[in-house]
Amino acid sequence: GYYADRWKNLLVPMSSPTKAYFDTSDKDPFCMYNYLLDITTWNKNIRRGFIQVKITDYAGNTVESEASSEASTFQQYKRVRILTGFYQDLEKISKISLTFSTKTLIGPKHKLRILQMRLKSLNNPER
């Protein structure tokens, strides 16, 4: 397991409380590889939805994050931090893909315009 205080400086900004959930896998060896996804968007209108992250290494191996159960709200020029988990760890990432979904069948499809994005490994903070 991981001690929550090891990630305190990454997950808890100085002035606001943050919820942190560390998941484990239902597959052997019962480990999830956690990443903190930090996104700044520039859509003029507020978007609410779910982000799916896919990472690829230089050998072409690809893993997809587990789906989040809570929707995030994205506002223009506001940073959003999302905890993502993968069943497999890729050491040298060559490509990051994001999929935004509102998970609604009715209504228009919306795009999420990303101004800045950072993906940081919580299992290996030196990356």
Side-chain angles (χ1 to χ4, degrees):
Y2 298 98
Y3 293 100
D5 62 346
R6 283 184 64 191
W7 314 116
K8 186 176 182 180
N9 293 337
L10 294 171
L11 295 177
V12 181
M14 295 288 186
S15 63
S16 65
T18 300
K19 290 185 209 176
Y21 301 96
F22 290 92
D23 292 327
T24 57
S25 169
D26 58 351
K27 299 176 184 159
D28 197 26
F30 308 106
C31 185
M32 290 289 285
Y33 298 94
N34 296 294
Y35 286 78
L36 185 63
L37 177 64
D38 193 346
I39 299 174
T40 304
T41 60
W42 60 277
N43 289 70
K44 288 184 181 178
N45 297 322
I46 294 174
R47 300 282 187 251
R48 186 160 170 75
F50 303 87
I51 295 282
Q52 191 79 17
V53 182
K54 191 185 295 186
I55 55 176
T56 305
D57 66 8
Y58 287 97
N61 300 311
T62 300
V63 292
E64 200 166 325
S65 66
E66 284 304 297
S68 173
S69 60
E70 286 188 40
S72 297
T73 301
F74 302 94
Q75 298 177 18
Q76 189 176 32
Y77 305 127
K78 300 286 184 187
R79 288 175 52 187
V80 176
R81 291 182 176 161
I82 302 168
L83 183 66
T84 60
F86 299 88
Y87 286 128
Q88 185 181 9
D89 191 26
L90 299 181
E91 190 170 330
K92 295 185 178 183
I93 297 171
S94 67
K95 181 179 173 183
I96 302 169
S97 303
L98 300 180
T99 303
F100 173 71
S101 172
T102 58
K103 294 196 178 180
T104 59
L105 300 174
I106 301 171
K109 294 190 181 224
H110 295 286
K111 291 183 179 179
L112 188 65
R113 293 183 168 95
I114 305 293
L115 183 65
Q116 184 178 13
M117 174 181 74
R118 171 182 254 155
L119 186 67
K120 181 166 178 95
S121 173
L122 296 178
N123 297 78
N124 301 291
E126 69 281 357
R127 288 193 206 160

